[in-house]
Each structure stands twice: as C-alpha cells, then as structure tokens.
C-alpha cells in the first residue's frame, strides 16, 4: 500500500521522529499554558494531540460555539514551534446531548443504558449524534484550515474502547439495513444463519434484532454479522468526519488512534481509510514478557498499510491507573519501550498525557510532567528521550523487509471466540504462541490478512484461522504450490464465512495442501498436559489434541500418551514446489521455539542477527539495525561487521548493552 501524499507531507514537516503527547490545557489555568510551551521546548516536544475531549467546552449549549480558548491554545503551539494533531472532539459528547436526546445513549445486550458521566456515551448508529458530530467537525475544519499549528487531523478517539457495540432500537434498525444490503432478501439471510436450527426462521427483516441477551447461546452467525456490522458502523463515523475534513482541508492527513490489540474493529478495513495508522500501547511492567505482546501489536499496526511508518499515539510515561495493580516503569524502561516502537516501524512516540491531571478518573495515570513537577525521574527521562529522538531524523520513513508473515483475519477472530465450541480458544494467545519464538529468534515478522499476495514471504504462519473462505484456502494452497512454506496450527479451516462447517473431515479446504484429514477433536482439560515427541525430542503440550490421519503428509511428531498415543501430532507435506506443516497441539514454549527454528531454517529465513543472547531483541529498518536489551543484566554482543551507533556516535564491532539498553546501529563500509 503506497504512502498517501498527505502522510508524506506530514512526515516531511516533522522531519524526525515525532515526539510529544496528549495536551489537555483546558484542565489548567491559563497561567500554566505559557509554562507548558517552555517545558515542551525543553523536552524536545514536536507534536501534541489537542482537543480530544473538548466538545463540552467549545459547544457548551447546542449550536452556541465558543472557540476562544482553543484559538489561544493553537496560537501558543504555533508560536512555540509545536505541531498539532487537532482532534475532531467527537469522542465524548457533552451532557446536554443526552439530556435533550436520550435516544443517543448506547445500550448493552441486556438493555442496560450507558449514561453520561464517563466518556463515549453515544450510540454509533444514532442519526442525532451523527448530525451534531458533523456540525462540530465542519466548524473546526473551517475555523482552523489555515492555522499554522495544524499538521494532522485526529478523528474520534479509541473507537470501540468502552462501547464495543450498541444494542438499542436505533441500532436494530441500522443492523437490519446492513443485513438487507448484505443479503438482499430474508431467504438468503435464513440460509446464511442456519435458522432452521432452534426454530429461528425469519419471515421479514423487521423480525431481526441485534443478538441481545437470550435464554442460552445466541445464533453464532447472527453474532458474527453483528460484529461485522458494529465495526462497519463505527467506521462510518470516521468516514463521515473524514469527508468533511477532506472537503475543507484536502492536504491535511487524517488518523485515529486504536486501543491495544483488540477484536472489536476490523483494522484491515479501517487502515485504508486513514493516511497514518496510530496506536495506543500500554505494556504492563509487571509482565516479564510484556515487550513480546507489544512487539506483536507493533508488527500488526505497521503491517496494516504494507509497512508504512505508524504513530505510537499514546503510551504511559510511567504507571497507568486502570489495572488492579499499576506498576511503575523501572528506570530506563520507558526509553527502552519507546525505542522498541521505533525499531518496529513507528515514526512517532507520544504519551498520554503531557501534564498529569489533578482531578478526574485518570489523575493517577502518569504524565510527562508529573504531579511532583519537573524535578522528577519521569521528566528527566522524558527530556533525555526527546533529545535522542530529535537527533534520529535519518530513521524517519525507513521500513523493514521481512521474510515471514503471521496471518490474522478479524472475521475469523470474531468467529473463533464465540461460545459453544470444542474448547475456549483465544486469538491473541494463539498469535503469541507462534510470534514469541520468532521474536526471540530475532526474525522479523509482518502480520497480514490471508487474502493478500503472500508471494514475497518465504514462510507464512497460520496460528489459527478457524473461519476460512474457499478463496482464502486457494490463496494459501497456491502459495505453497509455488515453492513457499506454510505452518498451520489446529482448529483452522473449520467453518466458512457464515460459520457453517466445511464438511468432509477437518480442515476440508486445506486438506489437499496439508495432506491430512482430521475426523475428531480431543481438547484437553483445563491445566492438563499431554506428552509429545516432536522432531525427535520429547516435550509437553497443552490445550488441544486431535486425531490426525495423514493423506500424503509425513509424520514428524506424535502424541506419546493418552488415547492418541502413537498418533500424529506434527506433519509435513511436500506439495508442489513447497511444503506445508501442520501442528495438532500447543507445545510448551521451548518445543515451539525448536519447531519454529526448524521450519524457518527450511524456508530459508534468517534472523536479523544470529546467535542473540536471550532477552535481546534485534530488528532492522532500512540500513539501521536496532538492539534492545529487555534483560535486567548487562549483555555483550559481537557484531558481524563494525557499526556506528546513532545514539552515541561510537564505532565498534562489539556492543555492550546495559539493562534496558538500546543501540541503533548503521554498518560501516558495508
């Protein structure tokens, strides 16, 4: 996917890695605003998001707009040389909207109304909310179209974070319209939804409701379509606001920030509607593998637009406020995790928020300027990082070039995590089980939709693709036929796009390329394990087992205990000019790493740097190599060539990384 001209102009305007955070001056008296600009200069801030929750202040009464305070904020930023990502302010309506138009409030599946008093208290399908939102965006766009601070439009904020779907009567009407567009007539809907089961046949679209709370399992195809509808409906909101912005300010790029990796929105569909992809990342310092989940998320968001640089729109300078136990980041950890985002393709590092709030629900969420002020470790680290990023302009716009792709399809994710399945399975857990070994091996990885052209990858990994369209199966089959390598794990290729089972033995659409048939699943009990032998070594596995009947595939691993003792657990099928591997269980991490290493080696995949110490991450962007030490101990590495460190200026063929240390290396004379 090519980079839009507007996004390129934005990158050229910032000229280095963008740095800053959410700026909410409305929470503070005006005498603080001048100090903010001075401190931003000191901290190296080049970009702030501003106005995200400003609707109630700029429109205190319906149609009565007051932008005076916001004019001053943008003027201050322009004078201080700080670019603004100006929010459309529609993320959280003012209380008067709900008082005058209670039908705009969202409802849960059980009918509970979600009232004002927090944020995002709106129904995405509400025509009244949409009318007021468009009017506000028109006022903003026309007023600030030529303002020198405006560099980026920030539409909404964290769509679907708190209201993942609305089940009200207005949403029911919109859902029916969506279904009419998708199916044409109610007979086609009945066929797709398998409504002969449990006497669910519909005679008219007007009989259809959202999947509200029911006596037992709701129709799975209905729930799948409602997930699609809910993602599409929120996307309509973004497109509605974007249309106004494009008309008034055609050269200003647009973005919206997404919550940590979640199933709510089909981001493959969303990414093509923005110029720059933005992401909010909040790894948990209490989790020793938090950087791996963060790495997976960064690779997802970088891959959404084919490797185009993305923005880390939010992270915490220190602790967050919303977990049961909110750990502070250790010294150097904020810097390390910030550089990790850059190493994995980010062209911007921003925080929530600039100045830590004195009141409100997020007052204990850290800020770049903490409650204790500037004489703090947090502000000193923020300032030091700002100086480093300001000097790293060579990195902006560079991209990785990876040989491995991990497959992720939101349709399949939604369907996988429905109930009434053989076992409870999670999409992120499956992704991490396969991504973690690649991460630890220093192998770069994209995360892609399975329908895209895969020919540029040596290896494609399918952690789980429960929902599989025939065309997708054909794409994967042809990929292997033409000489590439495929690794597929269990419970893939089970149902079609309507959650109807592919008959004839699992996984029917992939049986040819995998060279096997599965007549029966045997999920394992919670916390139970099973013995396996994989590639000649004994190991333990969890979560799943199944009866695998080879139909041309070679057996490279077996179950060693239980009813399936001696039966295949791992197969490899030579197909066309390539090979397809299949894994029928979840091996322990060490065995999974051994398997991934074997498959990657056979596919001709090489790590960014070989023989990395445990806990050291290696990535590449263009000509630059990044080394990040996620350990609490110092590590020393010998490089295959002498290199200059962009951060220190030193040149050597050896690198010593302190705990949480970072090196950004450019080979010399290579």
């Amino acid at each position: 996917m090519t980079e839009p001209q507007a996004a390129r102009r934005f990158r050229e305007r910032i000229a280095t890695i963008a740095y800053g955070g959410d700026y909410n001056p409305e929470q503070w008296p005006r005498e603080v605003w001048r100090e903010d600009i001075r401190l931003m200069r000191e901290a190296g801030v080049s970009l702030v998001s501003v106005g995200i929750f400003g609707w109630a202040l700029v429109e205190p009464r319906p149609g009565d707009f007051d932008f005076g305070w916001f004019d001053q904020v943008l003027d201050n930023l322009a004078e201080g040389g700080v670019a603004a990502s100006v929010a459309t302010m529609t993320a959280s309506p003012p209380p008067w909207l709900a008082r005058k138009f209670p039908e705009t409030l969202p409802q849960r599946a059980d009918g509970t109304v979600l009232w004002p008093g927090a944020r995002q208290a709106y129904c995405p399908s509400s025509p009244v909310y949409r009318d007021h939102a468009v009017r506000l965006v028109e006022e903003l766009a026309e007023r600030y179209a030529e303002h020198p601070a405006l560099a980026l439009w920030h539409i909404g904020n964290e769509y679907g974070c708190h209201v993942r779907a609305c089940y009200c009567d207005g949403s029911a009407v919109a859902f029916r319209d969506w279904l009419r567009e998708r199916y044409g007539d109610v007979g086609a809907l009945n066929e797709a939804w398998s409504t002969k089961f449990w006497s669910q046949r519909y005679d008219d679209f007007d009989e259809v409701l959202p999947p509200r709370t029911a006596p037992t399992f709701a129709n799975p195809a209905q729930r799948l379509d409602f997930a699609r509808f809910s993602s599409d409906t929120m996307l309509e909101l973004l497109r509605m606001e974007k249309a106004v912005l494009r008309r008034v300010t055609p050269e200003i790029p647009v973005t919206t920030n997404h919550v940590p990796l979640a199933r709510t929105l089909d981001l493959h569909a969303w990414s093509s509607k923005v110029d720059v992809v933005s992401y909010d990342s909040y790894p948990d310092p209490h989790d020793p593998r938090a950087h791996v989940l963060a790495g997976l998320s960064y690779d997802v968001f970088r891959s959404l637009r084919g490797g185009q640089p993305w923005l880390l729109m939010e992270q915490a300078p220190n602790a967050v406020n919303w977990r049961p136990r909110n750990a502070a980041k250790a010294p150097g950890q904020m810097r390390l995790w910030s550089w990790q985002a850059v190493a994995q393709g980010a062209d911007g590092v921003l925080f929530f928020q600039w100045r830590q709030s004195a009141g409100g629900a997020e007052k204990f969420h850290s800020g770049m300027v903490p409650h204790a002020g500037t004489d703090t470790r947090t502000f000193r680290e923020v300032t030091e990082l700002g100086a480093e990023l300001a000097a790293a302009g060579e990195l902006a716009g560079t991209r990785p070039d990876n040989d491995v792709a991990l497959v992720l399809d939101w349709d399949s994710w939604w369907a996988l995590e429905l109930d009434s399945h053989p076992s409870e399975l999670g999409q992120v857990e499956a992704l991490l089980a396969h991504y973690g070994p690649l991460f630890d091996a220093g192998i770069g990885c994209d995360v892609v939709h399975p329908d895209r052209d895969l020919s540029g990858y040596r290896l494609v990994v399918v952690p789980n693709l429960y929902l599989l369209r025939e065309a997708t199966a054909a794409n994967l089959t042809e990929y292997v036929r033409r000489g590439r390598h495929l690794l597929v794990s269990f419970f893939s290729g089970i149902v079609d796009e309507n959650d109807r089972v592919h008959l004839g033995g699992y996984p029917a659409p992939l049986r040819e390329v995998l060279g096997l048939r599965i007549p029966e699943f045997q999920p394992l009990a919670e916390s139970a394990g099973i013995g396996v032998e994989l590639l000649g070594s004994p190991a333990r596995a969890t979560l799943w087992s199944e009866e695998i009947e080879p139909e041309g595939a070679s057996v490279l691993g077996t179950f060693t205990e239980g009813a399936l003792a001696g039966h295949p657990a791992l197969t490899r099928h030579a197909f066309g000019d390539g090979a397809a591997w299949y894994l029928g269980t979840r091996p322990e991490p060490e065995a999974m790493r051994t398997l991934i290493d074997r498959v990657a080696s056979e596919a001709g995949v090489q790590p960014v740097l070989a023989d990395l110490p445990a806990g050291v991450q290696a990535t590449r962007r263009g000509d630059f190599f990044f080394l990040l030490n996620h350990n609490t101990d110092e590590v020393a590495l010998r490089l295959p060539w002498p290199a200059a460190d962009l951060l220190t200026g030193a040149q050597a063929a050896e690198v010593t990384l302190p705990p949480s240390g970072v090196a950004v290396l450019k080979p010399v004379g290579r």
Side-chain angles (χ1 to χ4, degrees):
M1 186 177 295
T2 58
E3 183 180 32
Q5 288 186 359
R8 187 163 55 252
R9 282 192 293 269
F10 166 72
R11 179 161 49 81
E12 291 169 351
R13 172 174 176 170
I14 300 299
T16 185
I17 304 299
Y19 189 59
D22 276 20
Y23 181 38
N24 300 292
E26 64 271 24
Q27 299 177 14
W28 301 93
R30 293 198 177 212
E31 54 266 25
V32 175
W33 296 5
R34 286 292 174 186
E35 182 188 26
D36 285 336
I37 300 301
R38 179 181 64 79
L39 292 177
M40 286 180 188
R41 287 172 172 162
E42 181 179 336
V45 168
S46 58
L47 177 70
V48 295
S49 292
V50 63
I52 291 174
F53 299 112
W55 191 347
L57 291 178
V58 301
E59 191 180 9
R61 291 160 295 280
D64 183 6
F65 290 99
D66 177 10
F67 289 104
W69 69 273
F70 200 64
D71 292 345
Q72 186 62 59
V73 169
L74 291 185
D75 290 348
N76 290 347
L77 291 171
E79 181 182 335
V82 178
S85 173
V86 178
T88 57
M89 304 188 182
T90 54
S92 202
W96 58 255
L97 187 69
R99 179 173 62 84
K100 291 180 67 67
F101 305 102
E103 69 273 20
T104 62
L105 293 173
Q107 291 184 19
R108 290 179 174 156
D110 64 0
T112 299
V113 175
L114 302 178
W115 297 95
R119 63 175 185 168
Q120 292 190 348
Y122 64 87
C123 165
S125 298
S126 167
V128 175
Y129 166 77
R130 292 184 175 203
D131 287 347
H132 282 81
V134 165
R135 184 176 63 181
L136 173 59
V137 175
E138 287 175 338
E139 293 281 343
L140 281 163
E142 291 170 1
R143 188 176 188 91
Y144 299 115
E146 303 298 329
H147 199 285
L150 174 63
L152 181 68
W153 285 113
H154 183 134
I155 299 176
N157 183 70
E158 295 187 333
Y159 282 104
C161 179
H162 305 298
V163 180
R164 297 181 178 180
C166 178
Y167 298 78
C168 72
D169 289 342
S171 294
V173 171
F175 184 40
R176 293 177 196 124
D177 290 341
W178 185 92
L179 293 170
R180 288 188 182 96
E181 179 69 22
R182 181 175 179 85
Y183 293 107
D185 63 75
V186 75
L189 179 141
N190 280 315
E191 179 66 22
W193 284 13
S194 304
T195 58
K196 292 176 183 177
F197 189 82
W198 281 355
S199 187
Q200 293 177 350
R201 178 189 174 276
Y202 297 100
D203 193 52
D204 191 286
F205 279 107
D206 288 341
E207 296 172 0
V208 180
L209 293 170
R212 293 169 176 165
T213 303
T216 185
F217 303 129
N219 185 310
Q222 177 193 20
R223 293 178 63 192
L224 176 57
D225 268 347
F226 193 69
R228 292 167 172 148
F229 157 78
S230 297
S231 178
D232 286 353
T233 299
M234 281 184 267
L235 181 55
E236 285 179 8
L237 299 181
L238 181 141
R239 297 176 69 178
M240 172 187 76
E241 296 187 23
K242 179 185 173 183
V244 175
L245 300 174
R246 275 289 187 264
R247 173 170 52 82
V248 181
T249 58
E251 295 188 351
I252 302 298
V254 300
T255 192
T256 189
N257 56 323
H258 293 289
V259 299
L261 189 59
R263 67 181 180 182
T264 309
L265 307 177
D266 179 356
L267 297 185
H268 291 302
W270 280 67
S271 62
S272 64
K273 305 302 184 294
V274 295
D275 299 304
V276 181
V277 172
S278 298
Y279 179 58
D280 298 348
S281 179
Y282 290 101
D284 185 355
H286 276 149
D287 178 3
R289 296 280 287 175
H291 59 285
V292 181
L293 175 56
L296 169 63
S297 303
Y298 299 159
D299 284 341
V300 168
F301 278 82
R302 187 197 64 251
S303 302
L304 287 173
R305 291 191 57 88
Q308 179 183 317
W310 53 282
L311 292 180
L312 177 57
M313 188 63 79
E314 289 186 21
Q315 64 167 338
N318 204 322
V320 300
N321 68 298
W322 39 266
R323 292 188 176 104
R325 301 288 185 272
N326 295 296
K329 291 181 177 177
Q333 194 168 49
M334 180 275 289
R335 173 182 181 260
L336 172 67
W337 285 356
S338 298
W339 274 110
Q340 182 185 352
V342 175
Q344 295 187 242
D347 266 7
V349 173
L350 287 82
F351 298 89
F352 179 84
Q353 58 180 325
W354 164 249
R355 190 177 286 273
Q356 189 173 9
S357 300
E362 293 185 293
K363 58 184 173 290
F364 292 115
H365 190 296
S366 57
M368 298 169 75
V369 180
H371 289 153
T374 58
D375 187 17
T376 54
R377 173 174 69 90
T378 294
F379 187 73
R380 285 190 290 272
E381 289 189 351
V382 160
T383 301
E384 291 164 2
L385 178 61
E388 284 188 340
L389 293 173
E394 292 178 83
L395 297 173
T398 58
R399 301 187 181 201
D401 183 16
N402 294 322
D403 288 332
V404 179
L406 207 66
V407 161
L408 173 60
D409 179 5
W410 261 264
D411 260 12
S412 183
W413 187 348
W414 291 325
L416 173 70
E417 296 187 1
L418 296 172
D419 45 30
S420 191
H421 281 182
S423 183
E424 290 186 357
L425 301 174
Q427 184 66 73
V428 173
E429 178 190 20
L431 288 166
L432 277 172
H434 297 74
Y435 178 84
L438 292 165
F439 184 97
D440 292 338
I443 294 175
C445 179
D446 295 340
V447 185
V448 304
H449 192 282
D451 286 347
R452 66 163 284 179
D453 179 7
L454 303 171
S455 61
Y457 297 104
R458 294 177 180 271
L459 171 64
V460 168
V461 179
V462 181
N464 178 273
L465 202 55
Y466 163 73
L467 184 153
L468 183 66
R469 301 170 187 83
E470 293 285 354
T472 306
N475 191 42
L476 294 172
T477 299
E478 189 62 20
Y479 168 78
V480 178
R481 191 192 309 275
R482 293 186 176 183
R484 298 305 195 180
H485 293 252
L486 179 71
L487 171 62
V488 179
S489 275
F490 59 84
F491 210 48
S492 294
I494 308 302
V495 300
D496 66 12
E497 61 268 32
N498 297 314
D499 202 42
R500 292 176 62 90
V501 171
H502 293 294
L503 302 179
Y506 316 115
L510 294 176
R511 280 179 56 187
E512 179 188 19
V513 67
L514 293 175
L516 53 79
R517 174 177 177 268
I518 300 164
E520 185 175 284
F521 305 130
Q522 295 191 22
L524 301 177
E526 188 174 0
S527 75
I530 191 169
V532 292
E533 184 180 276
L534 301 177
L535 302 174
S537 298
R540 299 292 296 174
T542 62
L543 194 64
W544 192 269
S545 65
E546 57 190 15
E547 185 179 342
I548 299 174
E549 297 177 349
E551 295 179 330
S554 301
V555 177
L556 297 183
T558 58
F559 296 103
T560 58
E561 59 187 45
L564 291 177
H567 286 256
L570 173 68
T571 64
R572 179 190 181 279
H573 186 218
F575 181 81
D577 294 326
W581 297 69
Y582 183 78
L583 180 61
T585 189
R586 177 67 51 75
E588 61 192 354
E590 295 81 2
M592 197 71 178
R593 170 67 189 272
T594 300
L595 172 60
I596 292 292
D597 285 350
R598 167 71 179 274
V599 176
S601 176
E602 185 176 300
V605 173
Q606 299 295 322
V608 173
L609 290 173
D611 303 321
L612 288 174
V616 175
Q617 178 186 358
T619 69
R620 182 177 180 177
R621 286 185 66 173
D623 295 331
F624 292 91
F625 292 77
F626 294 77
L627 291 173
L628 303 104
N629 183 14
H630 295 283
N631 297 295
T632 55
D633 298 316
E634 179 180 278
V635 295
L637 301 89
R638 183 161 187 83
L639 304 174
W641 19 251
D645 190 339
L646 183 66
L647 303 183
T648 66
Q651 292 189 18
E654 295 183 355
V655 175
T656 299
L657 295 173
S660 298
V662 178
V664 183
L665 306 172
K666 189 172 184 178
V668 176
R670 193 171 166 233

